[in-house]
Amino acid sequence: MTELKKFSVLVVDDEDEFRELTVKRLNKRGLDAIGAESGERALDILQQNSLIDVVLLDVKMPGIDGIETLRQIRQIRPLVETVLLTGHASVDSGIEGMKLGAFDYLMKPIELEPLLEKLADAYEKKRLHQEKIEQAQIKRFMAMPT
């Protein structure tokens, strides 16, 4: 069983049963998980909630698909890490997602433990990046003339 630091995850999937079960299982493991049924809803949540650390994003959804959602996430929350997830084997969408900055690309079905490990790795990358930005801001502030 993976020991996890507490972080927040937005699970975006149009399959209600999968989304609700995944949110429930992540919350049981101590994460702060919420769900969104579409790319549009995910973007609304991200614009209103700056505390989301990682997005687990289905690629194939009606409306805005996962790739376009990822593109918009990178614009409104560039530090949020995104793990793409699909039930449809598509190497092309995986490559496109990675080019857009996705942390990784996973295939459904996926067991909980490997998913937790991937989400924790994505969170760690986000945390380290955020830490570097904060240290750079402190250095810049300290270098300012008084």
Side-chain angles (χ1 to χ4, degrees):
M1 185 180 280
T2 303
E3 269 304 309
L4 294 173
K5 292 180 180 174
K6 187 166 180 134
F7 58 92
S8 59
V9 180
L10 175 60
V11 179
V12 186
D13 198 305
D14 61 315
E15 294 177 36
D16 294 339
E17 187 177 334
F18 175 82
R19 182 185 65 251
E20 290 167 8
L21 183 61
T22 302
V23 166
K24 188 175 179 178
R25 295 172 86 189
L26 295 176
N27 283 325
K28 269 190 169 180
R29 295 296 298 269
L31 300 182
D32 184 14
I34 58 174
E37 70 282 0
S38 66
E40 293 90 341
R41 180 71 184 124
L43 295 169
D44 286 345
I45 290 171
L46 286 166
Q47 287 176 336
Q48 296 169 12
N49 184 345
S50 63
L51 300 177
I52 300 293
D53 296 304
V54 179
V55 176
L56 180 63
L57 179 62
D58 189 21
V59 172
K60 296 266 185 185
M61 294 184 291
I64 301 176
D65 70 6
I67 297 298
E68 180 56 30
T69 303
L70 171 61
R71 191 181 326 265
Q72 293 186 37
I73 288 171
R74 302 304 289 173
Q75 291 174 352
I76 62 173
R77 293 274 186 248
L79 291 182
V80 169
E81 290 296 335
T82 302
V83 176
L84 295 174
L85 188 64
T86 187
H88 309 277
S90 169
V91 175
D92 290 341
S93 59
I95 291 170
E96 187 176 356
M98 298 303 282
K99 284 181 181 175
L100 288 171
F103 179 78
D104 209 340
Y105 186 83
L106 303 173
M107 300 294 295
K108 288 182 187 173
I110 184 165
E111 297 292 322
L112 184 60
E113 284 300 318
L115 176 61
L116 285 168
E117 289 176 20
K118 194 60 68 180
L119 293 173
D121 290 346
Y123 169 70
E124 187 63 14
K125 180 181 177 191
K126 184 221 180 205
R127 190 189 65 74
L128 291 173
H129 192 182
Q130 200 163 5
E131 194 175 286
K132 284 182 183 175
I133 290 171
E134 290 169 3
Q135 288 174 353
Q137 289 172 337
I138 290 171
K139 281 185 182 176
R140 194 173 318 133
F141 178 76
M142 298 300 279
M144 291 177 75
T146 55

